[in-house]
Amino acid sequence: MKKHSATKRAFRQYRSYNPKYFPLYFLKTIFKNISFYFNLWMTAEIINSLSRGQEKRELYFLAAAALTGILLIRSAAAVLDRQVETALEILENRQAEAFYRKTLGLDYDKIENPDIRQMRRKIDENQFINSYGVVNMRNTAELLMDCLVNLAFSAFLFGEMLSLMAAAPFSRTSLLLLAALTASVAGGFLFRLRGGQKTAAFWDNIGKHMLKENRLSRGFFPSGTDNRIYRQQLTIDRFFRKFNQEHRKIFMDTQHKIFCFVTVPGTVFFWLTTGFSYLIVCYYCALGAFPVGSIIKYVSYLGRLTECIQTLLDIPGRIWQNEKFLADYLAFFDIKNDMYQGSLAVEKRSDRQFDITFRNVSFRYAGSRSFALRNINLDLRSGERLAVVGMNGSGKTTFIKLLCRLYEPTEGEIIMNDFNIRKYDYRQYLDIFSVVFQDYNLLAVPLGNNVSCSASWDEERARGLLEETGFGKRYREMPRGLETPIYKDFDADGVELSGGEAQKIALARALYRDTPFIILDEPTAALDPIAEAEIYEKFDRIAGDRTTIYISHRLSSCRLCDRILVFHEGRIVQTGTHQELLADETGKYYEMWHAQAQYYA
Ligand code: ADP
């Protein structure tokens, strides 16, 4: 990678989120500096006027000019300040939105990829906990602007001082004082360069530790129930005590090193520079090169000038240190979606005739050595009720995800109405499925939006479906009906839901979409057996001519299905109706059925 290439690219991208921000910030910096230098300049003029014993009128005039100037400059600065704050708000929102959109827009296999998840998490942590990445880049850009503007002002005014000094007689003392000042400034610069690198390395070390601390405090939050039963707090306390001892030691060591190697020498050089600045300015004042009031302004200019140059010297180190975080940030944006999107339109069929065939399909997860699915051959007939059963990890959910094109087969192909499903327009293909996955997600928005997945809803239909899925009683207790917000994240009047209630809403949402395929991946896990039996009966009726696939652990629910697929270790080991499968006493289904029958007898 070319030197600072990530910084340049990241800056261009970041700036584009609100191109107004940096020019506005630059303008604000100019006004901030005008305010500072004008103040100093006017104070010096007033003291000079006093020391010359000028008339009161001139003094009044100067004071009035100072006050008017300050009022005007400060007012302009205040207006600019507001604009800068607003521009920053827009910039940060758009940047966060771009990051979020990139995440949501990734192919499903990439969102699920543990390396990519880890990458995203690291970017988040570095940005929000350690302020590296784009936050650091913005701070550095602001610092650079502050320094450059400051430098321009102080150098200009410093030039004025030099020209006055040049007009005064030159002596050995002035030469010595100038040499001493130059030496202390140069020493300060050199030291700052070295100290800056050391500080960066120290903070880098602490930063790594802070990330760990943050992960620990988030990952170690005990659940209310487990904490009471297993006294998890004791384990956590022990762990944290040990971690905190280590943390304190590293922190104090770092602080100690920074104090010895950075703070103390820095203070000495600062003291020397300020001391020689005073001596030179006072010496030339005594020689009559400039009036006494100018002492205050020239000492301040000198201080600012050296401070600016020293800060400027820090900037390459800051950029260099942040480069790797920006490279990670950009690498996330560079992840390419490689899933074939297809272009073939999915026919809009009122008869819902979509026949799907799995031809020798095998699938292996990225980074996994073993196949999650092996040689699946299957015809899904339109309108049938299919049950998928099998032990945990036998491949049922993976099978559904391949069917819905969330993953692509590693081997083999899936055909729908004569074409490989890859050929169909991806969005249109997804639109023929309604799935209630185990990790379904409801949003903290009104119930109606959740059911319809849209800004508006058909009230009668939504209400009817909520009744059908068993949510009716709770629904009737809600005075705001479909307008009732779910959860309290954004509305204090929001309702909390039990696992079973949330699942009933998710079922209603799946039915509301009215798609040719409806798939329930253990939809009733959070429901009691009576509610489950009711739902299956009703579902069968509501599903009508749709192709329905149930994944269930409770085999009793599969009895009504036209066909049952038994998965075992990634393969379909049996197919048939409940009666057919039970007749095979050596089969997996027979074994599972009898294992469960003990509990349901
Ligand atoms: P089931 O739904 O029958 O419980 P799954 O389809 O979820 O089974 O899982 C099948 C196999 O694939 C299991 O061995 C599981 O550990 C593995 N697996 C599931 N999801 C992933 C994933 N995202 N990455 C890697 N392996 C996975």
Side-chain angles (χ1 to χ4, degrees), residues 146-431:
D146 286 340
C147 275
L148 289 178
V149 173
N150 224 314
L151 199 67
F153 273 93
S154 57
F156 177 72
L157 297 161
F158 180 65
E160 177 197 74
M161 180 183 108
L162 281 185
S163 64
L164 291 174
M165 279 163 64
F170 200 67
S171 69
R172 257 183 59 189
T173 317
S174 53
L175 190 69
L176 274 175
L177 284 172
L178 271 174
L181 178 66
T182 313
S184 66
V185 169
F189 289 171
L190 285 178
F191 166 76
R192 183 87 170 221
L193 270 179
R194 250 178 61 88
Q197 281 165 4
K198 267 195 193 307
T199 317
F202 293 153
W203 284 116
D204 221 23
N205 190 19
I206 280 281
K208 281 185 199 132
H209 217 70
M210 275 162 64
L211 286 187
K212 197 169 163 193
E213 187 186 23
N214 184 271
R215 282 183 190 177
L216 280 174
S217 53
R218 276 192 299 174
F220 258 10
F221 198 74
S223 83
T225 45
D226 282 357
N227 188 28
R228 273 155 194 82
I229 305 291
Y230 300 109
R231 306 178 79 188
Q232 284 180 315
Q233 190 60 48
L234 296 178
T235 316
I236 294 172
D237 283 350
R238 239 189 338 266
F239 199 91
F240 261 99
R241 218 172 297 129
K242 189 164 169 282
F243 179 80
N244 282 340
Q245 275 168 1
E246 267 175 50
H247 184 68
R248 207 169 304 131
K249 190 172 172 316
I250 294 180
F251 195 78
M252 283 171 63
D253 276 359
T254 307
Q255 289 288 22
H256 179 72
K257 282 182 188 151
I258 290 180
F259 183 76
C260 295
F261 295 112
V262 182
T263 315
V264 171
T267 311
V268 171
F269 280 113
F270 176 75
W271 178 75
L272 284 173
T273 307
T274 314
F276 288 124
S277 302
Y278 264 106
L279 282 176
I280 285 189
V281 173
C282 291
Y283 177 75
Y284 274 93
C285 182
L287 285 182
F290 33 74
V292 67
S294 301
I295 292 180
I296 179 174
K297 100 179 158 176
Y298 291 141
V299 169
S300 298
Y301 296 163
L302 270 174
R304 277 248 170 166
L305 187 66
T306 49
E307 186 58 35
C308 273
I309 297 174
Q310 289 187 357
T311 309
L312 269 182
L313 292 177
D314 285 346
I315 285 179
R318 281 179 69 122
I319 294 176
W320 169 80
Q321 198 192 2
N322 196 35
E323 174 83 3
K324 61 178 183 289
F325 298 106
L326 290 175
D328 286 349
Y329 176 79
L330 291 173
F332 182 74
F333 276 92
D334 285 342
I335 298 171
K336 293 234 174 347
N337 280 341
D338 45 21
M339 189 175 230
Y340 186 69
Q341 294 293 305
S343 54
L344 195 62
V346 174
E347 237 183 313
K348 302 237 176 308
R349 298 187 68 116
S350 54
D351 61 0
R352 304 186 201 268
Q353 285 293 311
F354 293 101
D355 294 318
I356 296 188
T357 304
F358 276 60
R359 278 197 199 143
N360 220 14
V361 170
S362 297
F363 178 75
R364 191 169 52 194
Y365 282 99
S368 175
R369 285 214 204 136
S370 54
F371 277 84
L373 286 180
R374 270 208 183 271
N375 307 104
I376 304 294
N377 285 294
L378 178 75
D379 283 316
L380 285 174
R381 296 166 217 132
S382 295
E384 78 171 323
R385 303 278 182 273
L386 194 73
V388 178
V389 303
M391 319 263 274
N392 275 337
S394 56
K396 304 181 295 293
T397 302
T398 309
F399 163 71
I400 299 299
K401 287 185 174 169
L402 284 175
L403 174 65
C404 297
R405 229 169 121 187
L406 293 173
Y407 292 115
E408 293 197 328
T410 314
E411 290 166 14
E413 54 182 359
I414 306 171
I415 308 291
M416 182 174 82
N417 293 358
D418 301 330
F419 293 101
N420 189 318
I421 58 171
R422 295 179 82 232
K423 299 227 165 87
Y424 291 104
D425 175 272
Y426 189 60
R427 189 59 253 172
Q428 289 186 25
Y429 182 79
L430 285 184
D431 282 345

Side-chain angles (χ1 to χ4, degrees), residues 94-106 111 120 332-333 337:
R94 288 188 184 153
Q95 185 260 329
E97 193 185 324
F99 194 63
Y100 171 75
R101 286 202 178 283
K102 175 70 197 179
T103 312
L104 287 188
L106 285 174
I111 293 180
R120 192 183 184 286
F332 182 74
F333 276 92
N337 280 341

